[in-house]
Amino acid sequence: MVLSDDDQMIQEAARRFSRQRLLPFGREWDRTGDFPPDLLREMGNLGLFGILVPQEYGGLGGGYLTWAVALEEIAAGNGGISTLMHVHALGAAAVLARLGDADQKSRWLPRMVAGEAIGCIALTEPHAGSDVAKVKTRARKVDGGWRLDGLKQFISNGRRANVAIILAVTDPERGNRGMSLFLTPTDAKGFDVGQTEQKLGQRTSDTVQIALHDCFVPETALMGEHGQGLPATMGLLSDGRISVAAQAVGMARAAFDCALDYAREREAFGKPIIEHQAVAFRLADMATRIDVARAYTHHAARLLDRGANCVKEASMAKLFAGEMAERVCSDAIQIHGGYGYLADYPVERIYRDVRVCQIYEGTNDIQRLIIARNLNGRTSVSGQTSNCAGAGPGDGNRPR
């Protein structure tokens, strides 16, 4: 799929940054679980955090194809940093740009685009992952604002964030129509961040539990209309799933590049192992799967840019790309042989990092359910006709 000149320019800038500022430090940052704080401002200066933010707030005013192209490059450099970018720029900044009022946007968006303020989005709870409607966090109306009480789980960027978008129940009697979103500074009294989770991979992306204890937010913290929190959240799922698909493609590509380089250098039986048919065919299959996943991810992104209802296509992109990426990373380890199992080689880390792509933004089991529900003439593969009503049962253990 041919990219525009602008998209190619952004792709090249993101690729250069990824190769120079991310790739060389993957092992060290995986070990420490941290990275230099100046990195976020560098990403802001490159425009990576503002791709989906209107120009009047310092963003690029770009579309989802541009976003997918840039995010793939960052994921190829470091999976955890790509998740930080995904949650901050798509999950928080782009949501604020879409749902916030003028005061909320002017206060936060320029700083978020610049990487001076980091955002997170708090939807998931200990007992409410895929079924977002089971959220129990409450927002009680008081003089001058609201008081929030509840527990949020698996919140990516939760430790680094300066502002959080929180889903809470404001009217229990109205069920799904009784939830609202609140834009909450993380230094608010009663906003307590738990310990950083020790994870299998993506250790440069902090994941925490957030406890809200009588946390006061002013009336101006309400985002969008009262009682529209869940419908607004469900309306944001397709972009998140396309985003994860782009991440998966980027990480798979990184593992493939490592395997290709190794196969060219490693010799067995008197010649480089890439000249052995078993290895060459494995690499051919890996390259094919990556290119197919990228093409379909870009297809889903183009549909989203056109305003089409692409619930099915977004789920297909995430499902295929997530499972493709784990297989490609496994094959990359196999090509490395025993060395692939060592932390000295990047493929071990990439394999750990990519596994979560089948979990967050809706587990792959949920994606299959959504796709199945939309097969009965609802949306064609070409995206021509679409009248499916919703995204299915929920967002599934979002890293938010």
Side-chain angles (χ1 to χ4, degrees):
M1 190 173 290
V2 178
L3 299 175
S4 68
D5 290 343
D6 288 344
D7 285 345
Q8 289 182 48
M9 184 170 61
I10 291 173
Q11 181 186 53
E12 181 54 38
R15 181 174 297 170
R16 190 182 313 113
F17 173 83
S18 182
R19 289 175 175 174
Q20 294 175 357
R21 298 291 291 120
L22 302 181
L23 270 176
F25 310 103
R27 183 182 178 189
E28 175 187 349
W29 294 351
D30 180 69
R31 179 178 57 81
T32 64
D34 204 0
F35 56 87
D38 290 346
L39 193 75
L40 300 178
R41 291 179 183 269
E42 290 182 50
M43 295 177 73
N45 290 337
L46 277 177
L48 295 172
F49 292 154
I51 292 173
L52 298 170
V53 174
Q55 294 180 357
E56 62 186 292
Y57 297 106
L60 300 181
Y64 289 98
L65 178 60
T66 305
W67 168 259
V69 166
L71 188 63
E72 177 188 329
E73 297 301 330
I74 299 304
N78 188 287
I81 299 298
S82 74
T83 290
L84 184 154
M85 175 176 162
H86 162 80
V87 174
H88 167 59
L90 178 72
V95 171
L96 174 57
R98 190 183 308 183
L99 300 178
D101 60 33
D103 290 339
Q104 291 169 337
K105 290 189 282 191
S106 60
R107 178 184 178 189
W108 287 105
L109 282 180
R111 296 172 58 203
M112 295 173 79
V113 167
E116 297 172 0
I118 299 301
C120 68
I121 183 164
L123 307 180
T124 300
E125 299 185 359
H127 302 290
S130 295
D131 192 354
V132 188
K134 299 299 183 183
V135 162
K136 296 180 179 178
T137 295
R138 290 290 305 275
R140 295 178 290 107
K141 191 71 177 69
V142 296
D143 289 342
W146 302 81
R147 291 198 177 274
L148 309 180
D149 287 278
L151 196 62
K152 296 296 184 178
Q153 185 72 28
F154 300 127
I155 310 303
S156 292
N157 296 356
R159 184 164 299 283
R160 291 187 174 91
N162 305 95
V163 64
I165 297 173
I166 299 173
L167 179 67
V169 178
T170 49
D171 188 350
E173 301 300 321
R174 296 186 63 199
N176 292 348
R177 295 287 176 175
M179 298 183 186
S180 303
L181 294 170
F182 294 90
L183 189 66
T184 308
T186 58
D187 61 0
K189 186 177 180 180
F191 188 104
D192 298 323
V193 178
Q195 68 178 13
T196 302
E197 302 287 1
Q198 299 301 305
K199 300 180 298 185
L200 174 70
Q202 295 209 12
R203 293 169 182 167
T204 48
S205 168
D206 63 289
T207 303
V208 301
Q209 186 180 79
I210 291 176
L212 302 165
H213 300 293
D214 202 29
C215 178
F216 176 79
V217 294
E219 189 68 47
T220 54
L222 183 67
M223 286 183 64
E225 296 182 21
H226 177 265
Q228 292 301 302
L230 186 60
T233 298
M234 299 301 287
L236 299 169
L237 296 180
S238 290
D239 54 6
R241 287 163 182 166
I242 293 169
S243 184
V244 171
Q247 286 185 277
V249 170
M251 284 182 264
R253 196 188 84 203
F256 171 79
D257 288 345
C258 291
L260 182 61
D261 289 343
Y262 185 84
R264 287 169 173 165
E265 297 169 2
R266 177 73 170 181
E267 291 191 359
F269 305 104
K271 57 184 178 181
I273 62 173
I274 196 172
E275 295 182 20
H276 294 284
Q277 190 178 79
V279 174
F281 279 14
R282 190 187 297 272
L283 286 165
D285 286 344
M286 294 162 70
T288 300
R289 293 185 180 104
I290 292 169
D291 279 5
V292 169
R294 179 187 295 111
Y296 198 80
T297 298
H298 287 188
H299 166 64
R302 289 180 188 274
L303 290 177
L304 196 59
D305 281 334
R306 295 209 304 260
N309 189 331
C310 57
V311 169
K312 176 169 67 70
E313 288 82 0
S315 289
M316 283 179 166
K318 181 188 180 300
L319 172 65
F320 183 82
E323 295 186 353
M324 172 280 300
E326 183 178 13
R327 181 169 180 178
V328 165
C329 290
S330 178
D331 285 343
I333 290 175
Q334 194 69 26
I335 288 172
H336 280 73
Y339 290 109
Y341 204 65
L342 302 181
D344 294 341
Y345 286 76
V347 290
E348 179 269 344
R349 170 177 51 82
I350 300 170
Y351 182 81
R352 289 187 285 107
D353 284 352
V354 84
R355 182 59 181 84
V356 75
C357 289
Q358 297 183 55
I359 299 174
Y360 57 17
E361 293 291 356
T363 66
N364 277 16
D365 295 323
I366 292 295
Q367 304 314 314
R368 285 186 166 87
L369 180 58
I370 294 168
I371 294 165
R373 288 181 174 181
N374 284 275
L375 287 179
N376 188 24
R378 299 291 187 113
T379 308
S380 68
V381 173
S382 63
Q384 292 302 307
T385 57
S386 176
N387 55 17
C388 46
D395 69 347
N397 301 311
R398 282 188 154 205
R400 297 183 171 185

